[in-house]
Amino acid sequence: MNEIDFRGVVLPYMAKILDFFETHYPALDIEDEEDSITIELSDQRQFLINIHPISKQIWLSSPLSGAHHYAYNGETQDWMDTRVDLSLLSQLKSELEEVA
């Protein structure tokens, strides 16, 4: 996947994540930077989601489960964890149900 193709699939997904949080968790402190989203919980722990163009992945740093890398799966058109069969949005939903 070249840089243009990567940006074409990653940017809409990041917007989808941002929209999900703003809709379902409006009380959370959400910071949207150019290539990253920071979500701060009420206890000051943070989720950091950022685009990693060199590896063509999205990286998640979670205060609950640690670091994860997600690669685009063209068949499912979703960003899937490179170690387990779980999408980024599914991971975030699951973890936020525990703490938010």
Side-chain angles (χ1 to χ4, degrees):
M1 174 182 315
N2 65 35
E3 182 72 20
I4 294 170
D5 292 340
F6 173 70
R7 290 271 178 200
V9 293
V10 77
L11 293 178
Y13 195 83
M14 292 290 279
K16 178 180 176 178
I17 289 171
L18 187 61
D19 182 57
F20 172 79
F21 283 112
E22 289 175 342
T23 302
H24 293 82
Y25 297 95
L28 292 177
D29 184 16
I30 302 168
E31 200 171 308
D32 180 25
E33 301 283 327
E34 182 177 338
D35 284 345
S36 68
I37 299 170
T38 303
I39 301 143
E40 187 167 326
L41 303 175
S42 59
D43 62 6
Q44 311 231 329
R45 292 183 294 170
Q46 294 181 339
F47 289 87
L48 175 61
I49 306 156
N50 67 340
I51 296 170
H52 196 260
I54 294 170
S55 64
K56 306 290 188 279
Q57 295 178 338
I58 299 174
W59 290 4
L60 167 66
S61 175
S62 164
L64 302 179
S65 62
H68 299 269
H69 299 161
Y70 298 84
Y72 186 70
N73 181 320
E75 290 180 24
T76 63
Q77 297 185 354
D78 207 347
W79 291 86
M80 304 301 293
D81 192 303
T82 58
R83 294 179 285 170
V84 296
D85 189 31
L86 191 61
S87 74
L88 173 55
L89 195 52
S90 294
Q91 177 80 32
L92 290 167
K93 286 177 182 178
S94 173
E95 291 191 19
L96 281 169
E97 286 176 3
E98 293 180 34
V99 295

